[in-house]
Amino acid sequence: MIVVLKPNVKPEQIEHLKDWIHSLNIDTHVSVGENHTIIGLVGDTSAVDIDLINALDIVETVKRIQEPFKKANRKFHEEDAVIDINGVKIGGGNFQIIAGPCSVESEEQICSIAQSVKASGAGLLRGGAFKPRTSPYAFQGLHATGIDLLLEAKEQTGLPIVSEIMSMEHLPLFEHVDVLQVGARNMQNFEMLKELGKINKPILLKRGLANTIDELLMSAEYIMASGNENVILCERGIRTFETRTRNTLDLSAIPVLKKLTHLPVVIDPSHAGGHAYLVKPMALAATAAGADGLMIEVHNNPEKALCDGPQSLTPAAFAEVADLVFKIRPYACTYNEKI
Ligand code: PEP
Ligand code: MN
C-alpha cells in the first residue's frame, strides 16, 4: 500500500502516522520528494482500513498494490485448488456439471431427474429445499422434507448433492448434504459466511446480483479466513439495464477470476439468462472460456415447475447440452500458466 501525503506536512505528523502504522505490525518506507512525501507500507496490509488512512488530514491519496484478499489470492497459491466432494473433484482440470431442478418438489420428480442427469454425465445433483423467493407468497421449498428427498436421490444414484442454505439455524438438516450453496442474495451475509468457514464442507458461493468480482472474492475470503478453504465460486449473471435476459451473464468473470484466484469457477447459465433457449449457447461459451463447471437447472416437466420453469431444460435438452459441453471441453482455454 502506498500513502501519498499532502505537501507541507510537518515531520512530527509523519512520525505520528508512521508510529501508528508500526503499531499494526507493518513496516514503512518513506521517500521524501520535492513536493510530496510518500510512505510505502511493507507487510501484510490486508487488515489495514484504506478508508481510514484516506480520511486523515495529511493524506492526499492511498493506493493498494496488493489485493485485500489473501487466502483466495492466486499470488499465494499458484496451483489451482482441487475441491474433492466425496470423490467427485472440481478444479485443476477436473470439470463437473451440477444439474437438477430449481426446487425439490416430490420423490418422483427429484429421483427421476437425478437418474436422467446422471445418465447424461452430470457429476452432482442440485435441488433447492429452502428457496429464496422474491415474493413471500411464492413456493418456499419443502424444507426438511426436500433435504430428505435429495438424500433419497443421492442414495439411488450415488450423485453428491448441492443445496442452498439460507440460515445457519438449518445447518443440522444439511448434515448429509455434500455441498452447501450460498445463494446470490446471501453473498454478503457476512455472519453466515463466517459460520460456514467453521465447517468442513465445500461451499458453492454464488455471486450477488449487484456485486463486483472483488466483492465475490472478499466473500470467499470470509469463509476461508474462518478456516474452510473448500470454496467454489459461481457466476450466475448480474443485474444490468438489459431486460431481455433475466440477468447478464458475465463471461469475462471466468478469465478475470482465473487470474486472481486459484478457486474453481462454475457458471450458472440458467439463472443468468432466465430462458431455456439461452442455456445451450451460454453453457458452451462458458465451457470454451475455461469454466471448471456448470450449474444447470433441469426439470422433468418445466411447464409445471414450482420455481424457475421457463429457464429449466428438459432431461432430453440437458442430454444434448451435456454431450456438446463434453465434446468441446478438450479445446477449452486453460489458465495454468501465468496470466
Ligand atoms: C438457485 O441456484 O436456485 C438460486 C436461487 O440461485 P441464485 O442465488 O443465483 O439466484
Ligand atoms: Mn432457480
Side-chain angles (χ1 to χ4, degrees), residues 102 126 131-132 164 181 183-185 206 236 268 271 295 297:
C102 182
R126 64 150 285 149
K131 294 306 306 174
E164 176 166 355
Q181 175 173 320
R185 290 152 192 83
K206 295 188 100 175
R236 45 77 72 207
D268 172 350
H271 291 90
M295 178 181 250
E297 285 190 342

Side-chain angles (χ1 to χ4, degrees), residues 96-99 126 162 181 204 206 234 266-271 293-297:
Q96 297 298 339
I97 306 183
I98 306 164
R126 64 150 285 149
V162 183
Q181 175 173 320
L204 182 93
K206 295 188 100 175
C234 179
V266 164
I267 292 290
D268 172 350
S270 307
H271 291 90
L294 299 169
M295 178 181 250
I296 297 181
E297 285 190 342

Side-chain angles (χ1 to χ4, degrees), residues 5 16-17 19 28 39 65 96-97 125 135 144 166 181 204 210 236 251 263 271 298 317 319 328:
L5 302 182
H16 190 68
L17 177 56
D19 286 347
T28 50
I39 306 183
I65 304 299
Q96 297 298 339
I97 306 183
L125 174 69
S135 166
M166 284 171 52
Q181 175 173 320
L204 182 93
R236 45 77 72 207
L251 274 178
L263 298 175
H271 291 90
V298 179
I328 63 168

Side-chain angles (χ1 to χ4, degrees), residues 18 20 63 86 167 223 229 263 282 290 306 333:
K18 274 173 58 187
W20 177 66
K63 195 172 162 35
N86 297 326
S167 161
I223 300 169
E229 304 212 349
L263 298 175
M282 293 303 99
L306 295 180
C333 296

